[in-house]
């Protein structure tokens, strides 16, 4: 048997001391603990506070109904488009409905790709962070049902093929302490009159109807924004969406803001170009848009754990296999 010698290892682990980590991989023949997310959740050995490392695969891992407090960490998305992402460039695909029921308070999903279904939130304290949503056919993407509170939607890439027709964020009831920050939002965003929340550093690329909220450092792209009882400051509109008071800018040409898709990745196109009017235009001199603020957008939604992005191995004389890998954390 060969001895494995690891060189060029750059790891900075940040794992909860008492939580158990379980592997989920739907690839046939995988050595992971589970092949579907629901099987992992339902197993009696998986308890509140545990983490499911959902490995990238060409196969989806089904849907999941949460009754426990769990963290799911996927591999990210657009992995072949951006540099130094993952050695395994397959995404972690959830291809059905996701339900957060009572008992799942404190649960998180990070770095996953969602397709075919929707997310229904029936309880408080749920976080969706650094995920990619591209449900091309469904009427609602993230639907908060009941009077849920303390929901965080952070640094996601959410789009629909019909941004003027389908809702990507829908809060129809009484909701409080909702934080929506650093997301690319291509679709309808709407809340009820009983909603209170904060929208910071988002890019809106679809109709927005929001009540009783604070909006800071956002950018609206050629789309209507309807606000009622809201406080807005340091936002940018390509039309008159936010007006020109309280540090807001209006009628800013779209072509002057972002680097654009040519020569850039799907999510990288929303980086600010040199000389962009959004640079330093935010509160306290921050940039407007998704790449600054409290939860800066990370290209490809790479999760805040070490990721191996380069791996080379070479057989040496004797019983030694020299393995060179490069990894980094994406906090």
């Amino acid at each position: 048997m060969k001895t494995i010698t690891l060189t060029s290892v750059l790891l900075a682990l940040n794992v909860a001391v008492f939580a158990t980590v379980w592997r989920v991989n739907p690839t046939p023949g995988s050595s992971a603990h589970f092949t579907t997310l629901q099987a992992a959740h339902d197993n009696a050995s998986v308890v509140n506070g545990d983490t499911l490392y959902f490995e990238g695969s060409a196969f989806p891992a089904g849907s999941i109904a949460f009754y426990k407090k769990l963290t799911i960490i996927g591999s990210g998305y657009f992995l072949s488009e951006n540099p130094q992402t993952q050695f395994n460039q397959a995404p972690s695909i959830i291809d059905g409905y996701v339900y957060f029921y009572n008992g799942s308070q404190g649960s998180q999903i990070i770095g996953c790709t969602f397709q075919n279904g929707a997310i229904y939130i029936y309880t408080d304290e749920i976080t969706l962070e650094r995920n990619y949503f591209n449900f091309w056919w469904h009427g609602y993407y993230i639907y908060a049902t009941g009077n849920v509170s303390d929901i965080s939607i952070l640094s996601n890439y959410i789009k629909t093929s019909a941004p003027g027709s389908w809702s990507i964020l829908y809060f129809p009831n009484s909701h409080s302490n909702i934080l929506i920050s650093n997301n690319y939002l291509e679709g309808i965003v709407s809340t009820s009159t009983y909603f209170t929340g904060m929208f910071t550093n988002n890019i809106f690329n679809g109709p927005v109807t929001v009540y009783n909220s604070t909006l800071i450092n956002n950018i609206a792209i050629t789309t209507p924004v309807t606000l009622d009882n809201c406080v807005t400051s340091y936002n940018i509109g390509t039309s008159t969406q936010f007006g020109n008071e309280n540090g807001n800018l209006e009628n800013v040409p779209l072509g002057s803001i972002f680097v654009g898709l040519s020569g850039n990745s799907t999510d990288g196109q929303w980086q600010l170009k040199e000389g962009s009017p959004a640079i330093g235009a935010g509160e306290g001199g921050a940039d407007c848009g998704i790449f600054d603020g409290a939860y800066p957008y990370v290209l490809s939604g790479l999760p805040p754990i070490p990721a191996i992005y380069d791996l080379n191995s070479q057989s040496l004389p004797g019983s030694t296999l020299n393995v060179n890998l490069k990894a980094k954390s994406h906090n």
Side-chain angles (χ1 to χ4, degrees):
M1 177 180 292
K2 290 186 179 293
T3 301
I4 297 178
T5 302
L6 297 179
T7 60
S8 301
V9 181
L10 309 173
L11 298 180
L13 294 176
N14 181 20
V15 180
V17 174
F18 299 106
T20 300
V21 174
W22 306 90
R23 292 173 56 214
V24 178
N25 192 326
T27 304
S30 166
S31 62
H33 299 101
F34 305 100
T35 57
T36 69
L37 294 171
Q38 193 66 62
H41 174 283
D42 294 347
N43 190 281
S45 297
V46 178
V47 299
N48 284 325
D50 283 358
T51 296
L52 307 181
Y53 279 172
F54 180 13
E55 298 168 359
S57 172
F59 299 87
S63 58
I64 180 171
F66 284 81
Y67 294 90
K68 300 174 182 177
K69 175 187 175 182
L70 298 176
T71 295
I72 296 176
I73 301 178
S75 60
Y77 49 87
F78 306 146
L79 295 172
S80 63
E81 297 186 34
N82 292 305
Q84 297 184 358
T85 55
Q86 301 273 12
F87 179 74
N88 173 12
Q89 296 189 335
S92 305
I93 302 172
I94 300 175
D95 69 333
Y97 289 84
V98 175
Y99 303 92
F100 291 99
Y101 292 117
N102 186 40
S104 66
Q105 293 90 330
S107 291
Q108 305 176 73
I109 301 181
I110 304 169
C112 292
T113 294
F114 291 84
Q115 63 183 31
N116 301 330
I119 295 178
Y120 290 90
I121 302 175
Y122 289 87
T123 192
D124 304 332
E125 300 177 41
I126 300 301
T127 298
L128 301 171
E129 185 171 4
R130 303 190 190 186
N131 301 293
Y132 173 46
F133 299 83
N134 189 20
F135 300 156
W136 61 271
W137 61 272
H138 203 276
Y140 299 109
Y141 281 18
I142 301 173
Y143 184 2
T145 66
N147 299 326
V148 300
S149 301
D150 301 300
I151 307 300
S152 297
I153 312 294
L154 310 173
S155 306
N156 301 282
Y157 198 97
I158 308 176
K159 70 181 299 294
T160 171
S161 59
S165 301
W166 291 343
S167 293
I168 56 174
L169 297 181
Y170 185 46
F171 291 86
N173 300 306
S174 178
H175 308 289
S176 61
N177 198 28
I178 309 299
L179 176 60
I180 299 173
S181 184
N182 294 86
N183 304 281
Y184 173 75
L185 302 170
E186 186 175 333
I188 298 173
V189 175
S190 63
T191 78
S192 76
T193 57
Y194 303 102
F195 174 96
T196 59
M198 177 171 285
F199 294 77
T200 64
N201 287 93
N202 301 287
I203 296 175
F204 296 118
N205 197 2
V208 177
T209 302
V210 171
Y211 293 84
N212 314 313
S213 296
T214 300
L215 293 90
I216 303 172
N217 298 357
N218 303 286
I219 300 175
I221 302 175
T222 59
T223 184
V225 174
T226 303
L227 305 176
D228 192 316
N229 195 35
C230 292
V231 176
T232 65
S233 57
Y234 302 100
N235 302 285
I236 292 177
T238 56
S239 182
T240 58
Q241 294 99 326
F242 302 106
N244 58 8
E245 298 180 353
N246 302 323
N248 296 304
L249 300 177
E250 63 181 10
N251 296 316
V252 177
L254 177 60
S256 71
I257 303 174
F258 305 109
V259 295
L261 184 58
S262 178
N264 297 293
S265 62
T266 300
D267 52 354
Q269 67 178 301
W270 304 112
Q271 296 175 100
L272 302 181
K273 69 189 307 181
E274 184 177 355
S276 171
I279 295 175
E283 185 177 50
D287 296 341
C288 295
I290 61 178
F291 289 95
D292 204 349
Y295 304 93
Y297 184 90
V298 175
L299 290 174
S300 289
L302 294 173
I305 60 172
I308 296 173
Y309 64 86
D310 187 64
L311 176 65
N312 292 287
S313 61
Q314 180 182 13
S315 295
L316 300 178
S319 299
T320 300
L321 179 64
N322 189 49
V323 179
N324 294 274
L325 61 86
K326 295 180 181 179
K328 63 181 179 179
S329 186
H330 302 272
N331 294 323

